């Protein structure tokens, strides 16, 4: 049996940061935490029963620097591409970002 190939175009790095999603369908903010990140994608863990579905559009903001406030221009439009559940029942959402996270390497090295 062949091993599946990784189809990602951008390498991912494990990094845990507080984040917030604005779910456009419900006009609600969802708090979450990053699990890993690449320049064009995020995997976030959500401790909520608020439903997300593949194809949903969200605006994602990550506290890369640890600042308590995220500016409106720091939100990045994203599409939910995969949903999984952790053994604890949390939601894992894979997000495809519409633009690159500039300076991601700096944020990771500072962690």
């Amino acid at each position: 049996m062949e091993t599946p190939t990784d189809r990602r175009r951008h390498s991912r790095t494990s990094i845990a940061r507080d984040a917030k999603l604005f779910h456009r369908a419900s006009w609600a903010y969802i708090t979450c935490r990053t699990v890993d990140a690449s320049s064009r994608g995020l995997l976030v863990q959500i401790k909520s029963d608020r439903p997300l579905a593949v194809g949903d559009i969200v605006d994602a903001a990550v506290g890369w620097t640890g600042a308590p406030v995220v500016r409106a221009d720091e939100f990045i439009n994203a599409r939910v591409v995969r949903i999984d559940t952790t053994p604890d029942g949390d939601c894992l959402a894979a997000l495809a970002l519409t633009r690159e996270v500039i300076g991601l390497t700096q944020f990771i090295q500072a962690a």
Side-chain angles (χ1 to χ4, degrees), residues 44-96:
V44 296
Q45 184 171 1
I46 303 167
K47 292 187 177 291
S48 168
D49 59 356
R50 188 177 309 277
L52 282 180
V54 171
D56 281 357
I57 302 299
V58 296
D59 296 313
V62 179
W64 297 116
T65 63
V69 177
V70 178
R71 297 186 327 258
D73 65 344
E74 293 179 292
F75 279 83
I76 299 175
N77 183 262
R79 183 173 46 86
V80 178
V81 294
R82 189 180 79 247
I83 296 288
D84 289 319
T85 306
T86 68
D88 295 335
D90 294 341
C91 173
L92 286 176
L95 309 176

Side-chain angles (χ1 to χ4, degrees), residues 5-104:
T5 58
D6 190 348
R7 300 180 319 197
R8 293 185 184 115
R9 292 183 212 149
H10 308 281
S11 62
R12 291 189 173 262
T13 303
S14 294
I15 185 166
R17 291 282 189 272
D18 290 331
K20 184 180 283 191
L21 304 178
F22 178 71
H23 185 234
R24 291 183 179 194
S26 64
W27 280 74
Y29 285 95
I30 301 168
T31 58
C32 57
R33 191 149 177 88
T34 62
V35 175
D36 65 29
S38 75
S39 61
R40 293 298 293 258
L42 293 173
L43 180 64
V44 296
Q45 184 171 1
I46 303 167
K47 292 187 177 291
S48 168
D49 59 356
R50 188 177 309 277
L52 282 180
V54 171
D56 281 357
I57 302 299
V58 296
D59 296 313
V62 179
W64 297 116
T65 63
V69 177
V70 178
R71 297 186 327 258
D73 65 344
E74 293 179 292
F75 279 83
I76 299 175
N77 183 262
R79 183 173 46 86
V80 178
V81 294
R82 189 180 79 247
I83 296 288
D84 289 319
T85 306
T86 68
D88 295 335
D90 294 341
C91 173
L92 286 176
L95 309 176
L97 305 176
T98 58
R99 67 178 167 88
E100 188 172 359
V101 177
I102 306 299
L104 180 64

